[in-house]
Amino acid sequence: MIIDFHTHIFPDKIADKTISYLMEKGGIPSFSNGSASGLIEKMNEAGVDISIALPAMTTPKQFDSINRFAMEINERYKNESKRIISFAGIHPDCEDIYAKMRFIKDSGFIGVKLHPDYQGTFINDQKYV
């Protein structure tokens, strides 16, 4: 079994724009169009069985939309042989962080993506503890 443990996908309506922005900002080409279907296509080409989608939350206000999308992905692909499993996203500056973490746990997510570089902090910051 081959698992790609670090992928990123976006809702179809923003995937193209987001990928273009990230390629320009990072100077790194994308391997897919940024959508779930684009990732599945590349998984099939490469023989990948499972991909872990890691949402990078850059602002606290993204909590609801990012995690709603992550839940939709987990529901959509839970019975697929070639599937995507999404982690939750969290930002260290979210209000009521304990309630948000409880929501993540209660929603059945198996992991949380932290991204200090895009969240304006360091991994050893007390907010991450």
Side-chain angles (χ1 to χ4, degrees), residues 4 19 23 28-34 38-39 41-43 45:
D4 185 343
I19 288 296
M23 286 191 312
I28 301 169
S30 175
F31 291 99
S32 80
N33 67 2
L39 177 57
E41 180 181 317
K42 295 301 181 180
M43 290 170 65
E45 289 175 14

Side-chain angles (χ1 to χ4, degrees), residues 47-100:
V48 173
D49 299 296
I50 298 172
S51 284
I52 307 300
L54 302 172
M57 189 175 299
T58 58
T59 67
K61 69 181 181 179
Q62 296 172 317
F63 182 87
D64 292 334
S65 62
I66 282 180
N67 289 308
R68 185 173 41 252
F69 177 66
M71 290 169 68
E72 290 170 8
I73 290 298
N74 288 341
E75 184 63 27
R76 184 183 319 157
Y77 292 100
K78 71 180 180 184
N79 296 317
E80 300 288 327
S81 60
K82 298 248 181 182
R83 67 182 194 153
I84 302 170
I85 299 169
S86 184
F87 278 24
I90 190 78
H91 192 286
D93 292 329
C94 282
E95 292 182 20
D96 203 2
I97 194 90
Y98 295 106
K100 288 190 172 24

Side-chain angles (χ1 to χ4, degrees), residues 1 11-13 22 26 39 47 58 63 75 78 81 88 114 117 120 122 125 128:
M1 175 175 285
D12 289 345
K13 67 181 180 181
L22 292 173
L39 177 57
T58 58
F63 182 87
E75 184 63 27
K78 71 180 180 184
S81 60
L114 302 174
D117 293 341
F122 295 98
D125 189 298
Y128 279 133

